Amino acid sequence: MQAVAPGRVLLDRYRLDSVLGRGVMGHVWRGVDLRLGRPVAVKTIAAGLLAGRGGVDGRSDLYAVGCLLHHMLSGAPPSPPTSRPGWSPAT
């Protein structure tokens, strides 16, 4: 596996420029779609997770997307605010 570094082109299309953020799952990169000439964000997954190491369940991203979609479509969070200590709705 090649190292993920600035300047690397993935799938002959997406050039990685700089890291926007990092977390348990991997990194989010600022990049460019070379076919469309547009800025993009590209998420790379940590190699240890792809190899089955790391103790992180890959389904967490799917859950997060589900929560966002629920909120976007229904206008309400997926669970009442009182079920999440310290959470308050944006006003």
Side-chain angles (χ1 to χ4, degrees):
M1 176 182 274
Q2 296 178 346
V4 180
R8 171 112 186 258
V9 177
L10 303 174
L11 303 173
D12 295 323
R13 183 169 183 171
Y14 304 103
R15 185 187 70 228
L16 306 178
D17 291 337
S18 60
V19 174
L20 289 172
R22 60 188 92 223
V24 175
M25 297 287 293
H27 294 80
V28 176
W29 293 79
R30 177 187 320 271
V32 175
D33 181 327
L34 298 173
R35 290 187 195 160
L36 300 177
R38 297 177 67 177
V40 294
V42 177
K43 184 172 185 177
T44 57
I45 305 298
L49 294 176
L50 295 175
R53 299 183 310 269
V56 176
D57 187 342
R59 294 175 291 180
S60 61
D61 279 352
L62 293 175
Y63 177 78
V65 168
C67 290
L68 288 171
L69 287 173
H70 182 278
H71 200 150
M72 289 169 50
L73 295 172
S74 71
S79 58
T82 56
S83 69
R84 292 176 283 184
W87 184 87
S88 62
T91 56

